[in-house]
């Protein structure tokens, strides 16, 4: 019961920071997801290119029909060449689309596996505290610190995957953040449960670090070692090794996802694809 009340309090705090409450909260509708999709760079670029090609085609058609009849017949390639080129372009587009879909599904899988690893690790550590031989205050301190560090670890991993350089300005802590050393971004808000309770020295240390995921990961490891040494965690050594495995799996999955976020397609293939698409738009 105390853990359930604590979880509900954390949920209310996270929703209250967004101006919501437990009764009025609803998941995002399909309309909002559609609007978010239409605002992406890929849709804007495709719409711009399609609009430009359509305007050019309509202009040439009008000029050919009203001003110089047969003008296009003298410059357009034969039907055989045009059909062959369009078939080649379709194959290139299909390959790029399939490759993009594969990267998207892999990235989504990695992100969910990262969060699952952190949750599994934290959940098992909480379970090991159930029969703890340490003082109740020490156990509560361990659990409270663990929740904050795991939440912070998840946020810094997602931020590192999202941005080329991890910027502390987009990290957001729940609750009163008047003394938060990390200013909040207006558009991107990734909340950290109870981060305002962490001492200022630790906040500044994390904000100034270049490798934030690795630093927070090391903090979680040290917390587990301290909890084991102080008898906060009550479990047999083989069972106690399970959280360590999940913790390392989460970090390994993070690096696998980082491969998709950092390694682009070869520049030669990208240039060739863009050249083919531009040529197709002109024809």
């Amino acid at each position: 019961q105390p853990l359930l009340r604590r979880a509900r309090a954390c949920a209310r705090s996270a929703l209250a920071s967004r101006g919501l409450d437990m009764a009025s909260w609803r998941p995002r509708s399909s309309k909002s997801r559609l609007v978010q999709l239409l605002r992406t760079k890929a849709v804007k670029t495709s719409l711009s290119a399609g609009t430009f090609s359509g305007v050019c085609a309509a202009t040439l058609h009008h000029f050919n029909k009203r001003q110089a009849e047969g003008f296009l017949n003298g410059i357009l390639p034969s039907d055989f060449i045009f059909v062959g080129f369009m078939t080649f372009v379709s194959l290139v587009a299909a390959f790029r689309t399939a490759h993009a879909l594969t990267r998207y599904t892999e990235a989504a899988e990695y992100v969910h596996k990262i969060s699952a690893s952190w949750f599994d690790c934290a959940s098992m550590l909480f379970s090991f505290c159930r029969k703890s031989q340490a003082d109740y205050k020490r156990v509560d301190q361990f659990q409270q610190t663990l929740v904050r560090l795991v939440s912070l670890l998840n946020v810094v991993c997602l931020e590192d995957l999202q941005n080329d350089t991890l910027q502390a300005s987009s990290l957001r802590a729940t609750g009163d953040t008047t003394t938060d050393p990390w200013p909040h971004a207006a558009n991107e808000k990734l909340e950290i449960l109870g981060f305002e309770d962490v001492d200022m020295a630790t906040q500044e240390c994390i904000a100034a670090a270049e490798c934030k995921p690795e630093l927070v990961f090391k903090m979680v490891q040290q917390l587990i070692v301290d909890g084991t040494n102080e008898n906060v965690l009550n479990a047999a050594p083989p069972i106690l090794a399970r959280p360590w495995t999940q913790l390392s799996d989460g970090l390994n999955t993070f690096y696998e996802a980082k491969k998709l976020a950092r390694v682009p397609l070869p520049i030669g293939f990208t240039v060739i694809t863009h050249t083919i698409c531009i040529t197709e738009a002109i024809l």
Side-chain angles (χ1 to χ4, degrees), residues 59-70:
T59 303
L60 290 175
H61 179 73
H62 176 77
F63 179 78
N64 181 70
K65 186 176 181 181
R66 300 294 178 88
Q67 303 296 332
E69 188 68 30

Side-chain angles (χ1 to χ4, degrees), residues 5 19 29 32 73 87 91 145 163 173 175 182 187 195 209 243 251 265 283:
R5 287 195 297 269
S29 62
S32 63
N73 295 331
T87 302
L91 293 177
T145 306
N163 303 325
W182 298 349
N187 299 326
F195 187 67
L251 188 65
L265 285 174
L283 294 179

Side-chain angles (χ1 to χ4, degrees), residues 253-267:
T253 306
F254 163 71
Y255 283 118
E256 290 289 334
K258 201 171 182 178
K259 171 189 66 177
L260 299 177
R262 294 291 186 274
V263 181
L265 285 174
I267 184 64

Side-chain angles (χ1 to χ4, degrees), residues 5-270:
R5 287 195 297 269
R6 197 173 302 159
R8 285 194 293 267
C10 291
R12 291 192 188 95
S13 176
L15 292 175
S17 64
R18 297 184 178 181
L20 304 174
D21 54 58
M22 295 291 287
S24 63
W25 180 83
R26 294 291 185 276
R28 290 190 304 173
S29 62
S30 57
K31 182 179 180 180
S32 63
R33 288 194 292 267
L34 177 61
V35 172
Q36 185 178 7
L37 176 63
L38 294 177
R39 292 178 178 176
T40 58
K41 181 180 178 181
V43 173
K44 292 180 179 179
T45 303
S46 302
L47 184 61
S48 301
T51 303
F52 176 76
S53 300
V55 171
C56 293
T59 303
L60 290 175
H61 179 73
H62 176 77
F63 179 78
N64 181 70
K65 186 176 181 181
R66 300 294 178 88
Q67 303 296 332
E69 188 68 30
F71 168 72
L72 293 179
N73 295 331
I75 62 175
L76 288 178
S78 63
D79 293 341
F80 177 78
I81 297 177
F82 184 77
V83 171
F85 182 77
M86 289 299 299
T87 302
F88 177 70
V89 171
S90 300
L91 293 177
V92 173
F95 172 76
R96 286 296 301 270
T97 303
H99 186 264
L101 180 61
T102 301
R103 289 172 63 92
Y104 175 82
T105 53
E106 288 182 358
E109 179 185 358
Y110 287 146
V111 169
H112 285 286
K113 287 178 66 175
I114 290 173
S115 299
S117 297
W118 306 148
F119 176 81
D120 193 11
C121 175
S123 177
M124 285 187 290
L125 292 175
F126 265 72
S127 301
F128 296 160
C129 295
R130 188 174 180 84
K131 297 297 183 179
S132 176
Q133 300 176 1
D135 182 73
Y136 173 77
K137 292 184 178 180
R138 183 67 188 91
V139 175
D140 184 70
Q141 181 183 5
F142 173 84
Q143 293 176 342
Q144 296 285 349
T145 306
L146 178 65
V147 167
R148 285 154 177 79
L149 289 181
V150 171
S151 177
L152 177 61
L153 178 60
N154 189 61
V155 167
V156 294
C157 286
L158 294 178
E159 274 289 318
D160 191 85
L161 294 175
Q162 182 177 358
N163 303 325
D164 291 337
T165 56
L166 181 60
Q167 306 209 350
S169 59
S170 59
L171 296 174
R172 184 173 190 274
T174 58
D176 182 18
T177 56
T178 55
T179 59
D180 190 354
W182 298 349
H184 300 158
N187 299 326
E188 301 173 0
K189 297 179 180 178
L190 297 177
E191 299 181 11
I192 307 170
L193 294 178
F195 187 67
E196 68 278 2
D197 298 328
V198 180
D199 62 281
M200 189 59 60
T202 303
Q203 293 188 28
E204 293 176 351
C205 177
I206 298 173
E210 295 183 1
C211 301
K212 291 179 175 62
E214 290 79 3
L215 176 61
V216 180
F217 181 84
K218 191 62 178 179
M219 289 181 177
V220 176
Q221 287 183 320
Q222 293 175 344
L223 179 66
I224 297 175
V225 172
D226 293 340
T228 305
N229 186 52
E230 297 175 2
N231 295 324
V232 174
L233 302 175
N234 186 9
I239 301 178
L240 192 58
R242 178 68 179 175
W244 290 96
T245 303
Q246 288 298 323
L247 199 62
S248 62
D249 288 345
L251 188 65
N252 291 333
T253 306
F254 163 71
Y255 283 118
E256 290 289 334
K258 201 171 182 178
K259 171 189 66 177
L260 299 177
R262 294 291 186 274
V263 181
L265 285 174
I267 184 64
F269 183 80
T270 303

